[in-house]
Amino acid sequence: MFNEYDVIVVGAGHAGCEAAAAAANLGSKVLLITMDMNKIAQMSCNPAMGGIAKGQIVREIDAIGGYSGIISDLSTIQFRMLNRSKGPAMWSPRTQNDRMLFSMYWREHLENTPNVDFWQDMVVSLLIENKKVCGVRTGMGQEIRSKSVVLTNGTFLNGIIHIGQKQFGGGRIGEKAASGLTEQLIQLGMESGRMKTGTPPRVDGRSLDYTKMEVQEGDQEPEKFSYSNKTTPVKNQRPCWITYTNTNVHEVLKTGFDDSPMYAGRIQGLGPRYCPSIEDKINRFAERDRHQIFVEPEGWNTVEIYVNGFSTSLPDHVQFKALRLIPGFENAKIFRPGYAIEYDYFPPTQLSLSLETKNIDNLFFAGQINGTTGYEEAACQGLMAGINAHLKINEREPFILSRSEAYIGVLIDDLVNKGTDEPYRMFTSRAEYRLMLRQDNGDIRLTEKSHDIGLASVESLKAVHVKIEQTESLVKYFNKTSITPSEANPFLVNHETNPIPQNYKLFQILSRPQISLLDMAKELDIVSKFTETYTKETLLQAEVLMKYDGYLEKEKLLVEKMNRLEDFAIPLDFDFLTVKSISLEAREKLQKQKPKTLGQASRISGISPSDVSILMVHLGR
C-alpha cells in the first residue's frame, strides 16, 4: 500500500506543517501523519501569531522559505507592531488571526505542495534497525518505511486534561492522547519528563458588554509578516478589547484552590513561567488587585471569543462564577471551560543542533516534544528539522543557524546546550545580538543562506539583493549630501529640534532622535525622490543602519570575538573526563553533551569562563 518515503512527519501542528513543507520543497517525498485531517495547523490556544521576539521568528521563517508568515497574512484580522516606543531591536509584529482560515490556508498550501502525502492515523511506535529509524508503525497496524522521521507530537504524548478534580486522557479537548512512543523511546535510552500548559475558557461574544471595556484597534497603517509580494497588508481590521479582573474575581477563584489540580499535586509537570494560569497569577502576585484580560475575537465570521489572560484548570463552576464578575462579562455565556494539559517531553540536550536525536540516527524532534511553548517556537523548529532531515538522508551538511544569525539560532542553541525544565518561550532578552536580529532584516540575514541549500526561491533572493542595493545607495547619499539651513530649519523647528547654523550632512539631521527618515522623505524635497522608487521597508532599513551605526559596529565586534570560540573545534572522540583541572560537575556535563566547539561548550549550564579557558589550553596542546 505504501512506498518508502524520504521523510515521515508525525503530527500536523505548526511544527509538523513547516517540517513537511520544507522537506517536500527541497525535493523529499514526504508523508504527513495526523490523527485528524480536519485539525491541520490548529491554533490550539490563542488565535494570534507573533508578538515580542515571536514576531521576529515568524519573519525569519518567511525569509528561509517557510509558510507561517504567508498563512498569518492571509488570515489576519488585526495587525499591530508592538514596542514602537522602543528601539528597532524591540519592534515585534503581531497578528490577530481567524482561527478557521488559518487552518484552512495551511491545509490548502500543503495540498498544493508537490511531494506531500497525507495519512490519518496515530503513530504508536518507530521502526528502528541498528540504532537508525527506518519508519513508523500506526494504530491501524500499518508499517510505513522511510529514510527519516520527524516527531512533532505537541501535547499528545500521554496527554492528561485537568478541569478541577476531573481528569481524562487527551491531547486537546475532544481529542485522544497518543501512547506508546514515550515508552519505546525510554527503552531506547532516552530521558523523558512532564510539562503542562493551559488554555482559557471560550465565550459567546454576543453576551459581552463591550462598553465596559477599553477598545484596542489595530495599527492605522498595518504591515504584514511576509517579505514576499504573495500577500498584502490587511485592509479592514477587527478590534480587540481590554478589561481587568478585580478582588471579587480573585476571592471566587481562591475558593477553587482546594480542587485545583495544580495545588493539589495532581499535575507534576511545570507550566510556562511567562504565561501563567490566572490562579497562579493571584497566588504569585498576591499584592495586585487586578490583572489584565485581553478579549480577542476568534475570526471574521464567528462570535467565539478567546479570553486571553484567564488560562485556568479550576473547576468549571468556579470559572463561570469568577468570569461573570469581570467588567463586561456579567452575562457571559461560556462555550467551553478552560483546562490544563499535562504531557510528555524529552529534554532537548539529547539532540544535536540539527534537531536530530543523538541516540537514534535520522530521527528528529521539533516543537513541544522539545520543551517549548508557542506556535512560533514550534514552527521554526519544524522548519529546521524538515530541512535537516532532507539534508541528512542526502548526505549533505546540516543547516545550522548561529546565535548571531537568527532568533531561531538562539532558540535551538538554548535548547540543545542549556536544556529546559519548564516550557521555553522566546524573548528578545535571550538574544545577546538582538540589535542585529531585527524583524526588518530577516530576509537580508537568511534568504541567501536558504537559497544556497535550495529552499528560498530565486525571486526572493533577487528581492533581497534589490533591498540591499537600495539601502546602501541611500546610506551613501545621506553621508555625502548636505542640506542648507534654509531648507532644513523649517522642518527641524516643526519637529521640535534645534535649527542648524550652517550646511549639515543629511546623516547628521537623521541622527537626531526627533527625526525619522519617513518624515524627511515626506517633507524635504532633497529626500522625497526616494519615496517614488524605494519601499517603506527599505527606508526603515536604511534609517536603522544610520541611526544605530555605532551600536551595530560594537555588536559585530562581539560576534567576531565569539566566533573565534565557535571556530575552535573539539574532536568528536575527546574525553572530557581526562581534564582534571576543571570541576567534576563540569566534566560530567561536557562528557554527557559532547559539545562540538568551545563556543557551544561555553553555553552549557554550569560551565564557567575559566573552564573554557582550561579547555582551550588543553586542546591547544
Side-chain angles (χ1 to χ4, degrees):
M1 180 178 174
F2 293 98
N3 296 318
E4 182 174 340
Y5 286 88
D6 294 317
V7 182
I8 289 176
V9 178
V10 180
H14 299 258
C17 289
E18 287 288 6
N25 284 328
L26 283 166
S28 281
K29 188 180 178 186
V30 176
L31 179 66
L32 180 59
I33 303 179
T34 175
M35 292 198 290
D36 189 343
M37 288 281 291
N38 295 315
K39 299 287 176 63
I40 287 175
Q42 174 88 339
M43 295 182 116
S44 310
C45 204
N46 62 321
M49 288 291 284
I52 296 169
K54 293 166 174 276
Q56 282 87 327
I57 289 176
V58 176
R59 289 214 145 175
E60 290 176 354
I61 291 169
D62 184 77
I64 293 169
Y67 288 162
S68 287
I70 291 170
I71 305 297
S72 298
D73 288 346
L74 292 172
S75 58
T76 294
I77 65 173
Q78 187 191 93
F79 181 94
R80 293 178 67 221
M81 184 68 77
L82 306 183
N83 283 340
R84 279 280 196 196
S85 61
K86 299 181 181 178
M90 305 297 286
W91 294 3
S92 302
R94 183 183 190 271
T95 56
Q96 203 67 37
N97 296 85
D98 185 305
R99 185 188 298 279
M100 289 178 279
L101 281 180
F102 188 91
S103 180
M104 183 196 81
Y105 280 123
W106 247 120
R107 178 165 175 169
E108 190 177 286
H109 274 67
L110 287 170
E111 289 179 351
N112 288 323
T113 301
N115 295 332
V116 175
D117 289 346
F118 302 86
W119 181 248
Q120 182 169 294
D121 205 344
M122 181 195 292
V123 170
V124 294
S125 63
L126 302 169
L127 304 179
I128 308 282
E129 294 174 4
N130 300 319
K131 288 196 170 183
K132 186 175 184 178
V133 72
C134 55
V136 300
R137 184 178 292 107
T138 74
M140 289 191 221
Q142 306 286 348
E143 288 197 357
I144 311 171
R145 298 189 71 82
S146 67
K147 296 174 185 173
S148 64
V149 173
V150 181
L151 291 184
T152 69
N153 302 80
T155 59
F156 283 80
L157 290 179
N158 294 320
I160 297 175
I161 291 171
H162 297 266
I163 305 174
Q165 292 188 351
K166 303 168 191 171
Q167 62 181 61
F168 45 90
R172 281 190 293 247
I173 198 92
E175 298 176 67
K176 61 183 178 181
S179 58
L181 273 174
T182 298
E183 293 73 17
Q184 181 190 19
L185 289 167
I186 290 171
Q187 286 178 356
L188 291 165
M190 296 195 73
E191 298 173 22
S192 75
R194 296 286 276 176
M195 281 189 178
K196 80 113 181 163
T197 189
T199 193
R202 309 300 201 271
V203 302
D204 187 336
R206 296 168 299 183
S207 64
L208 302 183
D209 184 352
Y210 298 104
T211 64
K212 296 182 178 179
M213 308 178 196
E214 302 168 21
V215 69
Q216 188 180 52
E217 301 284 359
D219 288 352
Q220 288 189 347
E221 295 182 28
E223 298 174 39
K224 62 192 186 83
F225 276 118
S226 182
Y227 294 104
S228 73
N229 58 9
K230 294 177 182 176
T231 61
T232 55
V234 63
K235 288 184 172 61
N236 302 309
Q237 301 186 69
R238 282 201 68 176
C240 297
W241 294 268
I242 297 173
T243 184
Y244 297 87
T245 63
N246 51 55
T247 52
N248 291 333
V249 174
H250 299 175
E251 290 306 312
V252 169
L253 290 170
K254 287 174 185 175
T255 65
F257 278 16
D258 288 344
D259 293 325
S260 165
M262 186 165 61
Y263 296 114
R266 289 189 293 278
I267 293 180
Q268 300 301 317
L270 282 173
R273 177 191 301 262
Y274 302 103
C275 188
S277 64
I278 188 66
E279 55 264 38
D280 209 16
K281 285 181 193 174
I282 62 175
N283 187 51
R284 280 165 51 189
F285 308 108
E287 73 283 0
R288 296 190 188 175
D289 56 12
R290 70 175 193 169
H291 293 282
Q292 204 168 40
I293 300 292
F294 295 93
V295 181
E296 302 177 343
E298 298 258 359
W300 291 113
N301 301 310
T302 178
V303 298
E304 190 170 357
I305 293 289
Y306 181 88
V307 190
N308 195 343
F310 204 85
S311 176
T312 181
S313 59
L314 291 172
D316 45 16
H317 67 276
V318 175
Q319 294 184 36
F320 301 161
K321 187 176 179 182
L323 259 182
R324 287 182 169 168
L325 294 172
I326 296 173
F329 280 73
E330 292 84 356
N331 299 304
K333 294 179 181 177
I334 288 87
F335 283 166
R336 65 175 170 83
Y339 62 88
I341 181 163
E342 193 178 16
Y343 55 93
D344 292 336
Y345 85 105
F346 289 82
T349 50
Q350 300 170 99
L351 305 176
S352 67
L353 288 169
S354 66
L355 297 180
E356 183 182 18
T357 61
K358 294 175 181 175
N359 274 27
I360 304 159
D361 282 348
N362 295 2
L363 175 63
F364 296 78
F365 287 179
Q368 284 173 293
I369 192 172
N370 289 338
T372 59
T373 180
Y375 307 144
E376 304 81 4
E377 290 89 344
C380 73
Q381 289 174 73
L383 175 72
M384 298 300 283
I387 289 170
N388 283 318
H390 169 86
L391 295 175
K392 177 72 187 291
I393 62 176
N394 287 283
E395 299 181 350
R396 293 169 62 187
E397 286 296 307
F399 183 61
I400 293 169
L401 298 172
S402 71
R403 298 181 73 90
S404 61
E405 291 174 322
Y407 271 92
I408 296 172
V410 174
L411 182 145
I412 293 174
D413 189 80
D414 277 354
L415 292 175
V416 169
N417 290 315
K418 298 176 183 177
T420 185
D421 55 7
E422 62 182 42
Y424 178 100
R425 180 179 178 182
M426 181 51 73
F427 290 100
T428 50
S429 58
R430 294 190 190 273
E432 56 270 55
Y433 310 119
R434 53 188 171 274
L435 188 53
M436 294 168 63
L437 308 182
R438 306 182 309 278
Q439 56 83 30
D440 59 88
N441 70 349
D443 52 347
I444 293 172
R445 289 184 277 117
L446 301 172
T447 298
E448 188 162 0
K449 293 178 186 296
S450 177
H451 180 264
D452 289 345
I453 62 168
L455 185 55
S457 67
V458 174
E459 293 75 23
S460 296
L461 187 60
K462 284 180 180 176
V464 169
H465 286 161
V466 169
K467 184 175 178 180
I468 292 171
E469 288 166 13
Q470 290 186 342
T471 302
E472 288 176 350
S473 71
L474 199 54
V475 172
K476 188 176 179 182
Y477 179 79
F478 267 63
N479 276 310
K480 73 175 186 179
T481 305
S482 296
I483 188 169
T484 65
S486 61
E487 290 176 292
N489 287 344
F491 169 78
L492 295 173
V493 171
N494 187 44
H495 287 271
E496 299 180 349
T497 182
N498 293 332
I500 56 175
Q502 61 197 42
N503 289 4
Y504 269 40
K505 298 292 186 192
L506 288 173
F507 176 87
Q508 293 172 284
I509 301 295
L510 180 62
S511 65
R512 299 185 179 193
Q514 302 90 338
I515 305 301
S516 77
L517 201 154
L518 289 175
D519 288 334
M520 293 176 75
K522 286 176 187 173
E523 301 174 45
L524 295 174
D525 293 338
I526 198 169
V527 182
S528 61
K529 61 181 180 179
F530 290 103
T531 59
E532 297 171 14
T533 52
Y534 286 25
T535 64
K536 180 182 175 184
E537 288 71 29
T538 300
L539 297 177
L540 287 171
Q541 178 75 203
E543 178 177 356
V544 170
L545 292 181
M546 287 186 274
K547 275 185 178 285
Y548 295 89
D549 179 56
Y551 298 103
L552 286 165
E553 281 304 314
K554 282 183 183 178
E555 211 156 87
K556 284 174 187 172
L557 289 173
L558 284 173
V559 170
E560 288 169 13
K561 186 177 178 182
M562 194 64 204
N563 281 346
R564 290 196 282 275
L565 286 180
E566 297 297 344
D567 293 338
F568 203 123
I570 300 173
L572 291 175
D573 59 352
F574 184 77
D575 186 357
F576 292 93
L577 296 176
T578 62
V579 188
K580 302 297 184 185
S581 44
I582 62 177
S583 70
L584 178 61
E585 178 193 3
R587 277 180 275 158
E588 288 175 345
K589 284 186 174 181
L590 289 163
Q591 188 67 17
K592 182 178 180 181
Q593 293 189 220
K594 288 284 187 183
K596 294 181 179 178
T597 69
L598 277 181
Q600 198 178 341
S602 71
R603 293 188 295 277
I604 294 172
S605 178
I607 304 303
S608 69
S610 63
D611 293 334
V612 176
S613 299
I614 292 166
L615 266 180
M616 187 185 293
V617 172
H618 197 91
L619 289 162
R621 289 175 184 164

